[in-house]
mmCIF file with all atom_site columns, all heavy atoms in Angstrom:
data_model
loop_
_atom_site.group_PDB
_atom_site.id
_atom_site.type_symbol
_atom_site.label_atom_id
_atom_site.label_alt_id
_atom_site.label_comp_id
_atom_site.label_asym_id
_atom_site.label_entity_id
_atom_site.label_seq_id
_atom_site.pdbx_PDB_ins_code
_atom_site.Cartn_x
_atom_site.Cartn_y
_atom_site.Cartn_z
_atom_site.occupancy
_atom_site.B_iso_or_equiv
_atom_site.pdbx_formal_charge
_atom_site.auth_seq_id
_atom_site.auth_comp_id
_atom_site.auth_asym_id
_atom_site.auth_atom_id
_atom_site.pdbx_PDB_model_num
ATOM   1   N N   . LEU A 1 15  ? -3.700  1.233  -19.004 1.00 0.00 ? 240 LEU A N   1
ATOM   2   C CA  . LEU A 1 15  ? -5.130  1.502  -18.795 1.00 0.00 ? 240 LEU A CA  1
ATOM   3   C C   . LEU A 1 15  ? -5.406  1.611  -17.299 1.00 0.00 ? 240 LEU A C   1
ATOM   4   O O   . LEU A 1 15  ? -5.173  0.655  -16.556 1.00 0.00 ? 240 LEU A O   1
ATOM   5   C CB  . LEU A 1 15  ? -5.975  0.370  -19.368 1.00 0.00 ? 240 LEU A CB  1
ATOM   6   C CG  . LEU A 1 15  ? -6.311  0.426  -20.862 1.00 0.00 ? 240 LEU A CG  1
ATOM   7   C CD1 . LEU A 1 15  ? -7.287  -0.681 -21.218 1.00 0.00 ? 240 LEU A CD1 1
ATOM   8   C CD2 . LEU A 1 15  ? -6.892  1.781  -21.224 1.00 0.00 ? 240 LEU A CD2 1
ATOM   9   N N   . GLY A 1 16  ? -5.916  2.757  -16.865 1.00 0.00 ? 241 GLY A N   1
ATOM   10  C CA  . GLY A 1 16  ? -6.283  2.924  -15.459 1.00 0.00 ? 241 GLY A CA  1
ATOM   11  C C   . GLY A 1 16  ? -5.279  3.794  -14.731 1.00 0.00 ? 241 GLY A C   1
ATOM   12  O O   . GLY A 1 16  ? -4.090  3.484  -14.696 1.00 0.00 ? 241 GLY A O   1
ATOM   13  N N   . GLY A 1 17  ? -5.781  4.883  -14.158 1.00 0.00 ? 242 GLY A N   1
ATOM   14  C CA  . GLY A 1 17  ? -4.901  5.809  -13.431 1.00 0.00 ? 242 GLY A CA  1
ATOM   15  C C   . GLY A 1 17  ? -5.132  5.744  -11.935 1.00 0.00 ? 242 GLY A C   1
ATOM   16  O O   . GLY A 1 17  ? -5.269  6.748  -11.257 1.00 0.00 ? 242 GLY A O   1
ATOM   17  N N   . GLY A 1 18  ? -5.181  4.510  -11.399 1.00 0.00 ? 243 GLY A N   1
ATOM   18  C CA  . GLY A 1 18  ? -5.141  4.327  -9.947  1.00 0.00 ? 243 GLY A CA  1
ATOM   19  C C   . GLY A 1 18  ? -3.668  4.255  -9.543  1.00 0.00 ? 243 GLY A C   1
ATOM   20  O O   . GLY A 1 18  ? -2.783  4.479  -10.366 1.00 0.00 ? 243 GLY A O   1
ATOM   21  N N   . ILE A 1 19  ? -3.406  3.880  -8.298  1.00 0.00 ? 244 ILE A N   1
ATOM   22  C CA  . ILE A 1 19  ? -2.024  3.910  -7.818  1.00 0.00 ? 244 ILE A CA  1
ATOM   23  C C   . ILE A 1 19  ? -1.127  2.945  -8.611  1.00 0.00 ? 244 ILE A C   1
ATOM   24  O O   . ILE A 1 19  ? 0.042   3.257  -8.878  1.00 0.00 ? 244 ILE A O   1
ATOM   25  C CB  . ILE A 1 19  ? -1.957  3.655  -6.282  1.00 0.00 ? 244 ILE A CB  1
ATOM   26  C CG1 . ILE A 1 19  ? -0.652  4.165  -5.691  1.00 0.00 ? 244 ILE A CG1 1
ATOM   27  C CG2 . ILE A 1 19  ? -2.167  2.199  -5.941  1.00 0.00 ? 244 ILE A CG2 1
ATOM   28  C CD1 . ILE A 1 19  ? -0.544  5.657  -5.642  1.00 0.00 ? 244 ILE A CD1 1
ATOM   29  N N   . ASN A 1 20  ? -1.696  1.795  -9.024  1.00 0.00 ? 245 ASN A N   1
ATOM   30  C CA  . ASN A 1 20  ? -0.871  0.829  -9.773  1.00 0.00 ? 245 ASN A CA  1
ATOM   31  C C   . ASN A 1 20  ? -0.551  1.330  -11.182 1.00 0.00 ? 245 ASN A C   1
ATOM   32  O O   . ASN A 1 20  ? 0.598   1.281  -11.618 1.00 0.00 ? 245 ASN A O   1
ATOM   33  C CB  . ASN A 1 20  ? -1.565  -0.535 -9.832  1.00 0.00 ? 245 ASN A CB  1
ATOM   34  C CG  . ASN A 1 20  ? -1.441  -1.268 -8.508  1.00 0.00 ? 245 ASN A CG  1
ATOM   35  O OD1 . ASN A 1 20  ? -0.384  -1.250 -7.886  1.00 0.00 ? 245 ASN A OD1 1
ATOM   36  N ND2 . ASN A 1 20  ? -2.508  -1.914 -8.078  1.00 0.00 ? 245 ASN A ND2 1
ATOM   37  N N   . GLY A 1 21  ? -1.588  1.844  -11.883 1.00 0.00 ? 246 GLY A N   1
ATOM   38  C CA  . GLY A 1 21  ? -1.367  2.359  -13.232 1.00 0.00 ? 246 GLY A CA  1
ATOM   39  C C   . GLY A 1 21  ? -0.398  3.535  -13.210 1.00 0.00 ? 246 GLY A C   1
ATOM   40  O O   . GLY A 1 21  ? 0.507   3.624  -14.048 1.00 0.00 ? 246 GLY A O   1
ATOM   41  N N   . VAL A 1 38  ? -4.159  6.078  -19.850 1.00 0.00 ? 263 VAL A N   1
ATOM   42  C CA  . VAL A 1 38  ? -5.544  6.464  -20.140 1.00 0.00 ? 263 VAL A CA  1
ATOM   43  C C   . VAL A 1 38  ? -6.417  6.079  -18.946 1.00 0.00 ? 263 VAL A C   1
ATOM   44  O O   . VAL A 1 38  ? -6.451  4.921  -18.536 1.00 0.00 ? 263 VAL A O   1
ATOM   45  C CB  . VAL A 1 38  ? -6.046  5.738  -21.416 1.00 0.00 ? 263 VAL A CB  1
ATOM   46  C CG1 . VAL A 1 38  ? -7.503  6.069  -21.681 1.00 0.00 ? 263 VAL A CG1 1
ATOM   47  C CG2 . VAL A 1 38  ? -5.203  6.132  -22.616 1.00 0.00 ? 263 VAL A CG2 1
ATOM   48  N N   . GLU A 1 39  ? -7.111  7.070  -18.392 1.00 0.00 ? 264 GLU A N   1
ATOM   49  C CA  . GLU A 1 39  ? -7.967  6.832  -17.223 1.00 0.00 ? 264 GLU A CA  1
ATOM   50  C C   . GLU A 1 39  ? -9.387  7.271  -17.591 1.00 0.00 ? 264 GLU A C   1
ATOM   51  O O   . GLU A 1 39  ? -9.599  8.394  -18.040 1.00 0.00 ? 264 GLU A O   1
ATOM   52  C CB  . GLU A 1 39  ? -7.417  7.615  -16.023 1.00 0.00 ? 264 GLU A CB  1
ATOM   53  C CG  . GLU A 1 39  ? -8.395  7.855  -14.890 1.00 0.00 ? 264 GLU A CG  1
ATOM   54  C CD  . GLU A 1 39  ? -8.995  6.585  -14.305 1.00 0.00 ? 264 GLU A CD  1
ATOM   55  O OE1 . GLU A 1 39  ? -8.244  5.666  -13.931 1.00 0.00 ? 264 GLU A OE1 1
ATOM   56  O OE2 . GLU A 1 39  ? -10.246 6.495  -14.214 1.00 0.00 ? 264 GLU A OE2 1
ATOM   57  N N   . LYS A 1 40  ? -10.352 6.391  -17.330 1.00 0.00 ? 265 LYS A N   1
ATOM   58  C CA  . LYS A 1 40  ? -11.722 6.710  -17.799 1.00 0.00 ? 265 LYS A CA  1
ATOM   59  C C   . LYS A 1 40  ? -12.430 7.751  -16.910 1.00 0.00 ? 265 LYS A C   1
ATOM   60  O O   . LYS A 1 40  ? -13.356 8.402  -17.353 1.00 0.00 ? 265 LYS A O   1
ATOM   61  C CB  . LYS A 1 40  ? -12.559 5.440  -17.925 1.00 0.00 ? 265 LYS A CB  1
ATOM   62  C CG  . LYS A 1 40  ? -12.935 4.802  -16.617 1.00 0.00 ? 265 LYS A CG  1
ATOM   63  C CD  . LYS A 1 40  ? -13.859 3.618  -16.840 1.00 0.00 ? 265 LYS A CD  1
ATOM   64  C CE  . LYS A 1 40  ? -14.216 2.985  -15.518 1.00 0.00 ? 265 LYS A CE  1
ATOM   65  N NZ  . LYS A 1 40  ? -15.014 1.789  -15.636 1.00 0.00 ? 265 LYS A NZ  1
ATOM   66  N N   . GLY A 1 41  ? -11.996 7.863  -15.664 1.00 0.00 ? 266 GLY A N   1
ATOM   67  C CA  . GLY A 1 41  ? -12.566 8.890  -14.776 1.00 0.00 ? 266 GLY A CA  1
ATOM   68  C C   . GLY A 1 41  ? -11.476 9.878  -14.400 1.00 0.00 ? 266 GLY A C   1
ATOM   69  O O   . GLY A 1 41  ? -10.656 10.243 -15.217 1.00 0.00 ? 266 GLY A O   1
ATOM   70  N N   . SER A 1 45  ? -9.466  7.794  -8.569  1.00 0.00 ? 270 SER A N   1
ATOM   71  C CA  . SER A 1 45  ? -10.845 7.956  -8.111  1.00 0.00 ? 270 SER A CA  1
ATOM   72  C C   . SER A 1 45  ? -11.503 6.610  -7.824  1.00 0.00 ? 270 SER A C   1
ATOM   73  O O   . SER A 1 45  ? -12.634 6.553  -7.374  1.00 0.00 ? 270 SER A O   1
ATOM   74  C CB  . SER A 1 45  ? -11.658 8.715  -9.172  1.00 0.00 ? 270 SER A CB  1
ATOM   75  O OG  . SER A 1 45  ? -11.632 7.999  -10.391 1.00 0.00 ? 270 SER A OG  1
ATOM   76  N N   . GLY A 1 46  ? -10.778 5.518  -8.053  1.00 0.00 ? 271 GLY A N   1
ATOM   77  C CA  . GLY A 1 46  ? -11.325 4.187  -7.786  1.00 0.00 ? 271 GLY A CA  1
ATOM   78  C C   . GLY A 1 46  ? -10.901 3.714  -6.395  1.00 0.00 ? 271 GLY A C   1
ATOM   79  O O   . GLY A 1 46  ? -10.968 4.474  -5.415  1.00 0.00 ? 271 GLY A O   1
ATOM   80  N N   . ALA A 1 47  ? -10.447 2.466  -6.319  1.00 0.00 ? 272 ALA A N   1
ATOM   81  C CA  . ALA A 1 47  ? -10.038 1.897  -5.029  1.00 0.00 ? 272 ALA A CA  1
ATOM   82  C C   . ALA A 1 47  ? -8.952  2.750  -4.374  1.00 0.00 ? 272 ALA A C   1
ATOM   83  O O   . ALA A 1 47  ? -8.878  2.854  -3.144  1.00 0.00 ? 272 ALA A O   1
ATOM   84  C CB  . ALA A 1 47  ? -9.525  0.471  -5.235  1.00 0.00 ? 272 ALA A CB  1
ATOM   85  N N   . SER A 1 48  ? -8.134  3.409  -5.203  1.00 0.00 ? 273 SER A N   1
ATOM   86  C CA  . SER A 1 48  ? -7.018  4.186  -4.656  1.00 0.00 ? 273 SER A CA  1
ATOM   87  C C   . SER A 1 48  ? -7.457  5.438  -3.905  1.00 0.00 ? 273 SER A C   1
ATOM   88  O O   . SER A 1 48  ? -6.633  6.112  -3.299  1.00 0.00 ? 273 SER A O   1
ATOM   89  C CB  . SER A 1 48  ? -6.041  4.563  -5.773  1.00 0.00 ? 273 SER A CB  1
ATOM   90  O OG  . SER A 1 48  ? -5.562  3.395  -6.391  1.00 0.00 ? 273 SER A OG  1
ATOM   91  N N   . ALA A 1 50  ? -10.196 5.053  -1.867  1.00 0.00 ? 275 ALA A N   1
ATOM   92  C CA  . ALA A 1 50  ? -11.106 4.514  -0.853  1.00 0.00 ? 275 ALA A CA  1
ATOM   93  C C   . ALA A 1 50  ? -10.420 3.562  0.122   1.00 0.00 ? 275 ALA A C   1
ATOM   94  O O   . ALA A 1 50  ? -11.079 2.824  0.826   1.00 0.00 ? 275 ALA A O   1
ATOM   95  C CB  . ALA A 1 50  ? -12.251 3.784  -1.555  1.00 0.00 ? 275 ALA A CB  1
ATOM   96  N N   . LEU A 1 51  ? -9.099  3.569  0.148   1.00 0.00 ? 276 LEU A N   1
ATOM   97  C CA  . LEU A 1 51  ? -8.416  2.615  1.027   1.00 0.00 ? 276 LEU A CA  1
ATOM   98  C C   . LEU A 1 51  ? -8.486  3.052  2.488   1.00 0.00 ? 276 LEU A C   1
ATOM   99  O O   . LEU A 1 51  ? -8.806  4.201  2.768   1.00 0.00 ? 276 LEU A O   1
ATOM   100 C CB  . LEU A 1 51  ? -6.957  2.409  0.593   1.00 0.00 ? 276 LEU A CB  1
ATOM   101 C CG  . LEU A 1 51  ? -6.011  3.580  0.544   1.00 0.00 ? 276 LEU A CG  1
ATOM   102 C CD1 . LEU A 1 51  ? -4.585  3.083  0.546   1.00 0.00 ? 276 LEU A CD1 1
ATOM   103 C CD2 . LEU A 1 51  ? -6.265  4.397  -0.688  1.00 0.00 ? 276 LEU A CD2 1
ATOM   104 N N   . SER A 1 52  ? -8.171  2.129  3.386   1.00 0.00 ? 277 SER A N   1
ATOM   105 C CA  . SER A 1 52  ? -8.183  2.456  4.821   1.00 0.00 ? 277 SER A CA  1
ATOM   106 C C   . SER A 1 52  ? -6.991  3.334  5.190   1.00 0.00 ? 277 SER A C   1
ATOM   107 O O   . SER A 1 52  ? -6.842  3.709  6.334   1.00 0.00 ? 277 SER A O   1
ATOM   108 C CB  . SER A 1 52  ? -8.143  1.184  5.663   1.00 0.00 ? 277 SER A CB  1
ATOM   109 O OG  . SER A 1 52  ? -8.998  0.230  5.128   1.00 0.00 ? 277 SER A OG  1
ATOM   110 N N   . ARG A 1 53  ? -6.126  3.591  4.229   1.00 0.00 ? 278 ARG A N   1
ATOM   111 C CA  . ARG A 1 53  ? -4.974  4.496  4.368   1.00 0.00 ? 278 ARG A CA  1
ATOM   112 C C   . ARG A 1 53  ? -3.814  3.899  5.147   1.00 0.00 ? 278 ARG A C   1
ATOM   113 O O   . ARG A 1 53  ? -2.931  4.594  5.612   1.00 0.00 ? 278 ARG A O   1
ATOM   114 C CB  . ARG A 1 53  ? -5.382  5.846  4.966   1.00 0.00 ? 278 ARG A CB  1
ATOM   115 C CG  . ARG A 1 53  ? -6.483  6.435  4.140   1.00 0.00 ? 278 ARG A CG  1
ATOM   116 C CD  . ARG A 1 53  ? -6.786  7.847  4.407   1.00 0.00 ? 278 ARG A CD  1
ATOM   117 N NE  . ARG A 1 53  ? -7.775  8.260  3.392   1.00 0.00 ? 278 ARG A NE  1
ATOM   118 C CZ  . ARG A 1 53  ? -7.898  9.455  2.915   1.00 0.00 ? 278 ARG A CZ  1
ATOM   119 N NH1 . ARG A 1 53  ? -7.122  10.404 3.350   1.00 0.00 ? 278 ARG A NH1 1
ATOM   120 N NH2 . ARG A 1 53  ? -8.787  9.724  1.996   1.00 0.00 ? 278 ARG A NH2 1
ATOM   121 N N   . MET A 1 54  ? -3.849  2.592  5.334   1.00 0.00 ? 279 MET A N   1
ATOM   122 C CA  . MET A 1 54  ? -2.698  1.964  6.002   1.00 0.00 ? 279 MET A CA  1
ATOM   123 C C   . MET A 1 54  ? -1.605  1.692  4.977   1.00 0.00 ? 279 MET A C   1
ATOM   124 O O   . MET A 1 54  ? -1.886  1.273  3.858   1.00 0.00 ? 279 MET A O   1
ATOM   125 C CB  . MET A 1 54  ? -3.113  0.643  6.636   1.00 0.00 ? 279 MET A CB  1
ATOM   126 C CG  . MET A 1 54  ? -3.905  0.820  7.907   1.00 0.00 ? 279 MET A CG  1
ATOM   127 S SD  . MET A 1 54  ? -4.194  -0.777 8.648   1.00 0.00 ? 279 MET A SD  1
ATOM   128 C CE  . MET A 1 54  ? -2.557  -1.197 9.190   1.00 0.00 ? 279 MET A CE  1
ATOM   129 N N   . HIS A 1 56  ? 1.107   -0.708 5.263   1.00 0.00 ? 281 HIS A N   1
ATOM   130 C CA  . HIS A 1 56  ? 1.580   -1.706 6.223   1.00 0.00 ? 281 HIS A CA  1
ATOM   131 C C   . HIS A 1 56  ? 2.509   -2.719 5.578   1.00 0.00 ? 281 HIS A C   1
ATOM   132 O O   . HIS A 1 56  ? 2.545   -2.869 4.358   1.00 0.00 ? 281 HIS A O   1
ATOM   133 C CB  . HIS A 1 56  ? 0.410   -2.404 6.910   1.00 0.00 ? 281 HIS A CB  1
ATOM   134 C CG  . HIS A 1 56  ? -0.508  -3.110 5.964   1.00 0.00 ? 281 HIS A CG  1
ATOM   135 N ND1 . HIS A 1 56  ? -0.276  -4.390 5.540   1.00 0.00 ? 281 HIS A ND1 1
ATOM   136 C CD2 . HIS A 1 56  ? -1.658  -2.702 5.377   1.00 0.00 ? 281 HIS A CD2 1
ATOM   137 C CE1 . HIS A 1 56  ? -1.252  -4.748 4.731   1.00 0.00 ? 281 HIS A CE1 1
ATOM   138 N NE2 . HIS A 1 56  ? -2.099  -3.742 4.602   1.00 0.00 ? 281 HIS A NE2 1
ATOM   139 N N   . ALA A 1 203 ? -10.950 9.541  -20.432 1.00 0.00 ? 428 ALA A N   1
ATOM   140 C CA  . ALA A 1 203 ? -10.792 8.967  -21.780 1.00 0.00 ? 428 ALA A CA  1
ATOM   141 C C   . ALA A 1 203 ? -10.735 7.445  -21.649 1.00 0.00 ? 428 ALA A C   1
ATOM   142 O O   . ALA A 1 203 ? -10.373 6.915  -20.593 1.00 0.00 ? 428 ALA A O   1
ATOM   143 C CB  . ALA A 1 203 ? -9.514  9.489  -22.419 1.00 0.00 ? 428 ALA A CB  1
ATOM   144 N N   . THR A 1 204 ? -11.146 6.752  -22.684 1.00 0.00 ? 429 THR A N   1
ATOM   145 C CA  . THR A 1 204 ? -11.043 5.277  -22.683 1.00 0.00 ? 429 THR A CA  1
ATOM   146 C C   . THR A 1 204 ? -10.517 4.806  -24.036 1.00 0.00 ? 429 THR A C   1
ATOM   147 O O   . THR A 1 204 ? -10.511 5.556  -25.001 1.00 0.00 ? 429 THR A O   1
ATOM   148 C CB  . THR A 1 204 ? -12.416 4.588  -22.469 1.00 0.00 ? 429 THR A CB  1
ATOM   149 O OG1 . THR A 1 204 ? -13.315 5.083  -23.448 1.00 0.00 ? 429 THR A OG1 1
ATOM   150 C CG2 . THR A 1 204 ? -12.966 4.795  -21.098 1.00 0.00 ? 429 THR A CG2 1
HETATM 151 C C1  . FAD B 2 .   ? -12.149 -1.051 1.511   1.00 0.00 ? 184 FAD B C1  1
HETATM 152 C C2  . FAD B 2 .   ? -10.711 -1.124 1.069   1.00 0.00 ? 184 FAD B C2  1
HETATM 153 C C3  . FAD B 2 .   ? -9.704  -0.792 1.961   1.00 0.00 ? 184 FAD B C3  1
HETATM 154 C C4  . FAD B 2 .   ? -8.362  -0.869 1.562   1.00 0.00 ? 184 FAD B C4  1
HETATM 155 N N1  . FAD B 2 .   ? -7.402  -0.503 2.453   1.00 0.00 ? 184 FAD B N1  1
HETATM 156 C C5  . FAD B 2 .   ? -6.115  -0.524 2.066   1.00 0.00 ? 184 FAD B C5  1
HETATM 157 C C6  . FAD B 2 .   ? -5.099  -0.081 2.945   1.00 0.00 ? 184 FAD B C6  1
HETATM 158 O O1  . FAD B 2 .   ? -5.360  0.353  4.053   1.00 0.00 ? 184 FAD B O1  1
HETATM 159 N N2  . FAD B 2 .   ? -3.809  -0.134 2.520   1.00 0.00 ? 184 FAD B N2  1
HETATM 160 C C7  . FAD B 2 .   ? -3.481  -0.589 1.263   1.00 0.00 ? 184 FAD B C7  1
HETATM 161 O O2  . FAD B 2 .   ? -2.282  -0.610 0.933   1.00 0.00 ? 184 FAD B O2  1
HETATM 162 N N3  . FAD B 2 .   ? -4.429  -1.026 0.404   1.00 0.00 ? 184 FAD B N3  1
HETATM 163 C C8  . FAD B 2 .   ? -5.716  -0.992 0.780   1.00 0.00 ? 184 FAD B C8  1
HETATM 164 N N4  . FAD B 2 .   ? -6.683  -1.408 -0.087  1.00 0.00 ? 184 FAD B N4  1
HETATM 165 C C9  . FAD B 2 .   ? -6.277  -1.899 -1.407  1.00 0.00 ? 184 FAD B C9  1
HETATM 166 C C10 . FAD B 2 .   ? -5.961  -0.721 -2.341  1.00 0.00 ? 184 FAD B C10 1
HETATM 167 O O3  . FAD B 2 .   ? -7.001  0.249  -2.274  1.00 0.00 ? 184 FAD B O3  1
HETATM 168 C C11 . FAD B 2 .   ? -5.820  -1.250 -3.769  1.00 0.00 ? 184 FAD B C11 1
HETATM 169 O O4  . FAD B 2 .   ? -4.896  -2.318 -3.791  1.00 0.00 ? 184 FAD B O4  1
HETATM 170 C C12 . FAD B 2 .   ? -5.325  -0.183 -4.730  1.00 0.00 ? 184 FAD B C12 1
HETATM 171 O O5  . FAD B 2 .   ? -5.984  1.044  -4.574  1.00 0.00 ? 184 FAD B O5  1
HETATM 172 C C13 . FAD B 2 .   ? -5.527  -0.730 -6.159  1.00 0.00 ? 184 FAD B C13 1
HETATM 173 O O6  . FAD B 2 .   ? -5.077  0.245  -7.053  1.00 0.00 ? 184 FAD B O6  1
HETATM 174 P P1  . FAD B 2 .   ? -5.339  0.067  -8.578  1.00 0.00 ? 184 FAD B P1  1
HETATM 175 O O7  . FAD B 2 .   ? -4.613  1.166  -9.279  1.00 0.00 ? 184 FAD B O7  1
HETATM 176 O O8  . FAD B 2 .   ? -5.015  -1.323 -8.985  1.00 0.00 ? 184 FAD B O8  1
HETATM 177 O O9  . FAD B 2 .   ? -6.931  0.183  -8.745  1.00 0.00 ? 184 FAD B O9  1
HETATM 178 P P2  . FAD B 2 .   ? -7.856  1.496  -8.779  1.00 0.00 ? 184 FAD B P2  1
HETATM 179 O O10 . FAD B 2 .   ? -7.410  2.560  -7.834  1.00 0.00 ? 184 FAD B O10 1
HETATM 180 O O11 . FAD B 2 .   ? -9.263  1.042  -8.646  1.00 0.00 ? 184 FAD B O11 1
HETATM 181 O O12 . FAD B 2 .   ? -7.609  2.056  -10.240 1.00 0.00 ? 184 FAD B O12 1
HETATM 182 C C14 . FAD B 2 .   ? -8.120  1.431  -11.386 1.00 0.00 ? 184 FAD B C14 1
HETATM 183 C C15 . FAD B 2 .   ? -8.494  2.570  -12.325 1.00 0.00 ? 184 FAD B C15 1
HETATM 184 O O13 . FAD B 2 .   ? -8.746  2.026  -13.608 1.00 0.00 ? 184 FAD B O13 1
HETATM 185 C C16 . FAD B 2 .   ? -9.757  2.812  -14.205 1.00 0.00 ? 184 FAD B C16 1
HETATM 186 N N5  . FAD B 2 .   ? -10.288 2.002  -15.307 1.00 0.00 ? 184 FAD B N5  1
HETATM 187 C C17 . FAD B 2 .   ? -10.936 0.828  -15.226 1.00 0.00 ? 184 FAD B C17 1
HETATM 188 N N6  . FAD B 2 .   ? -11.242 0.380  -16.451 1.00 0.00 ? 184 FAD B N6  1
HETATM 189 C C18 . FAD B 2 .   ? -10.773 1.308  -17.338 1.00 0.00 ? 184 FAD B C18 1
HETATM 190 C C19 . FAD B 2 .   ? -10.778 1.399  -18.752 1.00 0.00 ? 184 FAD B C19 1
HETATM 191 N N7  . FAD B 2 .   ? -11.330 0.454  -19.510 1.00 0.00 ? 184 FAD B N7  1
HETATM 192 N N8  . FAD B 2 .   ? -10.210 2.479  -19.304 1.00 0.00 ? 184 FAD B N8  1
HETATM 193 C C20 . FAD B 2 .   ? -9.635  3.436  -18.555 1.00 0.00 ? 184 FAD B C20 1
HETATM 194 N N9  . FAD B 2 .   ? -9.599  3.390  -17.206 1.00 0.00 ? 184 FAD B N9  1
HETATM 195 C C21 . FAD B 2 .   ? -10.153 2.330  -16.608 1.00 0.00 ? 184 FAD B C21 1
HETATM 196 C C22 . FAD B 2 .   ? -10.716 3.078  -13.081 1.00 0.00 ? 184 FAD B C22 1
HETATM 197 O O14 . FAD B 2 .   ? -11.501 4.234  -13.349 1.00 0.00 ? 184 FAD B O14 1
HETATM 198 C C23 . FAD B 2 .   ? -9.763  3.290  -11.900 1.00 0.00 ? 184 FAD B C23 1
HETATM 199 O O15 . FAD B 2 .   ? -9.470  4.652  -11.691 1.00 0.00 ? 184 FAD B O15 1
HETATM 200 C C24 . FAD B 2 .   ? -8.028  -1.311 0.265   1.00 0.00 ? 184 FAD B C24 1
HETATM 201 C C25 . FAD B 2 .   ? -9.046  -1.642 -0.631  1.00 0.00 ? 184 FAD B C25 1
HETATM 202 C C26 . FAD B 2 .   ? -10.373 -1.539 -0.242  1.00 0.00 ? 184 FAD B C26 1
HETATM 203 C C27 . FAD B 2 .   ? -11.441 -1.876 -1.238  1.00 0.00 ? 184 FAD B C27 1
#
Side-chain angles (χ1 to χ4, degrees):
L240 276 187
I244 200 71
N245 284 319
V263 177
E264 161 57 52
K265 70 175 180 184
S270 59
S273 301
L276 59 161
S277 317
R278 305 193 174 210
M279 284 186 70
H281 59 86
T429 54

